[in-house]
């Protein structure tokens, strides 16, 4: 594969609307559904830009999500060493084993279980807002609301003490932040792994009603596998949901007419959350895969061993599926979006994430009808260095 043009992934966002997909990705989508691109680590990959083809790749078992395969996009040599090192303690599992473990988890994240958690999520959201309102504005909505809500929910779910949330939030962020370098990323991973191992060992002595104890009691996973699964859930559920909460609030404040519709009719909240998931697509650099065999996608032959990057952000704005897709339209009915991925790696926590977002956003807007930004949007700092797009701080008053 040779790269014919200067399309590079990841691509930084330009100044202007913070929700615009980087221009090179939009241009790539105009070129075709499968476009050659250079990765910042010096490699090459195929960028998949259209909804139909992204869906096809993610649903096709001939593409692997194993990050250690050669040509895996978004992988540097240093990062590769780090992942290889961490695999020594948690060996790579094959697809059958992945499916077995997933099945065990999806049972815990089913609709009914999540529905039963709603009253507790509501009371946690109310408690966090009570504290924020009592202290008075202005506040940073990220640290006072958007992060504590998913942290409290994941703590409840797993049985992790909420007092530790600052510790694991900092480590989780460091682990995913390319700016800090591979050693600091690795250190954070080791500290988090040790924390989870210790907690899991404690649960073995003193079980509770939460998920770590449930998985231990089932006895289908070894103790270190339970700890690894808990860590995966912690990492998967925190920064993603937190970014979605802060960016959704900002997007609504920037679209006052849409915000007014939602305030006037709170039954719109479910559809609004789907549209916000589509429009914001926080998994900004796409989902990486490697072809295990020759596969034709969108009329293009992808050879065995080639890396592909499924660009969720641009596929979620595919005009053939979402007319006017670069605009936010809360009444669109965007349920087919790809923000939780698709196929065997599709997000395990999506039902929970949806419930959290619906409850947190509805409650925030209802309780703070005068919510507003206290700085111009141009002064906000957005986060491009993590795999997840986000805003560092969101200064608000009400
Ligand atoms: C709005 C919030 C969220 C977004 C946008 C999101 C997005 C995603 C995406 C795109 C994937 C697919 C990765 C791939 O195919 O390579 C994924 C996987 C995953 N997510 Fe989420 N997620 C969110 C919330 C959560 C929550 C709340 C949890 C758990 C409590 C969670 C746990 C996981 C896990 C464990 C996986 C790996 C599944 C597997 O490999 O089989 N996520 N997520």
């Amino acid at each position: 594969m040779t790269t014919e043009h200067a399309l590079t992934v990841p691509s930084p966002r330009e100044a202007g609307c913070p929700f615009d997909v980087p221009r090179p990705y939009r241009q790539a989508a105009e070129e075709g559904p499968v476009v050659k691109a250079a990765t910042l680590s010096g490699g090459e990959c195929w960028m998949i830009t259209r909804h139909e083809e992204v869906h096809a790749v993610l649903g096709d078992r001939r593409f692997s999500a194993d990050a250690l395969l050669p040509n895996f996009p978004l992988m540097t040599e240093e990062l590769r060493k780090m992942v290889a090192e961490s695999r020594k303690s948690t060996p790579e599992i094959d697809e059958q084993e992945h499916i077995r473990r997933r099945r065990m988890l999806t049972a815990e994240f089913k609709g009914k279980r999540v529905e039963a958690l709603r009253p507790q999520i509501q009371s946690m959201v109310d408690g966090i807002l009570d504290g924020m309102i009592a202290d008075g504005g202005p506040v940073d909505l990220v640290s006072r609301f958007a992060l504590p809500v998913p942290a409290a929910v994941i703590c409840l779910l797993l049985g992790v003490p909420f007092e530790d949330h600052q510790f694991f939030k900092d480590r989780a962020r460091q682990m995913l932040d390319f700016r800090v370098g591979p050693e600091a990323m690795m250190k954070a991973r080791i500290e988090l792994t040790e924390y989870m191992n210790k907690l899991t060992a404690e649960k073995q002595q003193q079980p509770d009603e939460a998920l770590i104890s449930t998985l231990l009691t089932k006895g289908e996973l070894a103790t270190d596998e339970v700890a690894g699964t808990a860590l995966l859930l912690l990492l998967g559920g925190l920064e993603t949901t937190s970014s979605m909460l802060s960016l959704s609030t900002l997007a609504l404040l920037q679209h006052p007419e849409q915000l007014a519709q939602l305030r006037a009719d709170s039954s719109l909240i479910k559809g609004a959350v789907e549209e916000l998931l589509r429009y914001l697509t926080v998994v900004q650099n796409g989902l990486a895969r490697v072809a295990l065999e020759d596969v034709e996608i969108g009329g293009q032959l992808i050879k065995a061993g080639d890396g592909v990057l499924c660009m969720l952000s641009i596929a979620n704005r595919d005009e053939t599926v979402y007319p006017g897709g670069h605009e936010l339209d809360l009444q669109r009915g965007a349920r087919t979006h790809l923000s939780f991925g698709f196929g065997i790696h599709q997000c395990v926590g999506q039902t929970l994430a949806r419930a959290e977002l619906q409850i947190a956003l509805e409650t925030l807007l209802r309780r703070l009808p005068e919510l507003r930004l206290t700085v111009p949007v141009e002064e906000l700092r957005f986060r491009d260095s993590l795999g997840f797009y986000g805003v560092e701080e969101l200064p608000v008053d009400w």
Side-chain angles (χ1 to χ4, degrees), residues 143-327:
S143 57
R144 292 305 303 266
F145 184 71
L147 210 101
V149 168
V153 172
I154 202 76
C155 285
L156 169 82
L157 192 88
L158 294 174
V160 173
F162 183 67
E163 309 81 80
D164 296 348
H165 84 275
Q166 198 63 36
F167 166 84
F168 61 69
K169 181 217 87 176
D170 290 345
R171 303 303 182 285
R173 185 169 280 191
Q174 193 167 318
M175 237 187 92
L176 301 168
D177 191 344
F178 293 100
R179 283 174 307 184
V180 302
E183 273 165 32
M185 288 166 92
M186 191 64 197
K187 185 167 176 282
R189 175 185 273 273
I190 291 170
E191 286 174 3
L192 263 182
T193 307
E194 284 170 355
Y195 171 83
M196 216 36 113
N197 286 345
K198 185 165 166 279
L199 189 76
T200 309
E202 284 167 14
K203 300 275 176 195
Q204 210 148 27
Q205 300 305 317
Q206 280 183 310
D208 57 21
E209 303 291 304
L211 188 57
I212 295 179
S213 295
T214 310
L215 292 176
L216 286 170
T217 313
K218 276 188 181 171
E220 292 173 34
L221 291 177
T223 316
D224 61 333
E225 291 170 346
V226 172
T229 304
L231 188 56
L232 185 70
L233 291 169
L234 190 78
L235 293 173
L238 198 57
E239 202 72 53
T240 43
T241 317
S242 167
S243 285
M244 263 306 294
L245 266 180
S246 43
L247 289 177
S248 295
T249 308
L250 177 63
L252 290 170
L253 292 175
Q254 293 295 103
H255 292 81
E257 70 303 337
Q258 306 262 332
L259 176 57
Q261 282 177 25
L262 187 55
R263 283 196 197 279
D265 180 2
S266 64
S267 73
L268 295 178
I269 191 68
K270 285 193 177 168
V273 163
E274 297 313 309
E275 172 66 353
L276 287 160
L277 281 160
R278 181 199 71 83
Y279 180 68
L280 298 167
T281 315
V282 294
V283 182
Q284 59 175 346
N285 295 328
L287 299 179
R289 300 289 188 263
V290 173
L292 298 174
E293 300 171 23
D294 289 0
V295 188
E296 198 178 303
I297 295 287
Q300 174 66 51
L301 176 69
I302 296 179
K303 293 230 171 89
D306 285 356
V308 299
L309 206 47
C310 295
M311 300 306 296
L312 306 184
S313 56
I314 197 74
N316 270 340
R317 294 182 178 207
D318 183 335
E319 287 283 331
T320 61
V321 185
Y322 310 106
H326 290 288
E327 301 302 323

Side-chain angles (χ1 to χ4, degrees), residues 16 18 250 373-382 391-395:
L250 177 63
L373 270 187
T374 58
V375 296
V377 71
E378 299 76 38
E379 285 180 21
L380 296 174
R381 287 182 306 127
F382 291 90
V391 60
E392 298 281 8
E393 285 118 23
L394 200 59

Side-chain angles (χ1 to χ4, degrees), residues 5-25:
H5 53 74
L7 176 57
T8 306
V9 281
S11 221
R13 310 230 171 189
E14 306 93 34
C17 174
F19 309 121
D20 278 350
V21 174
R23 192 176 306 124
Y25 297 170

Side-chain angles (χ1 to χ4, degrees), residues 132 137-141 249 253 371-374 394-398:
M132 189 180 102
V139 300
D140 166 28
L141 198 76
T249 308
L253 292 175
L371 186 70
R372 62 189 179 280
L373 270 187
T374 58
L394 200 59
V396 295
D397 211 340
W398 52 87

Side-chain angles (χ1 to χ4, degrees), residues 98 102 154 236-237 240-241 244 287 289 339-341 344-345 347 349:
H98 180 90
R102 235 191 104 95
I154 202 76
T240 43
T241 317
M244 263 306 294
L287 299 179
R289 300 289 188 263
S339 297
F340 291 118
I344 63 163
H345 294 279
C347 182

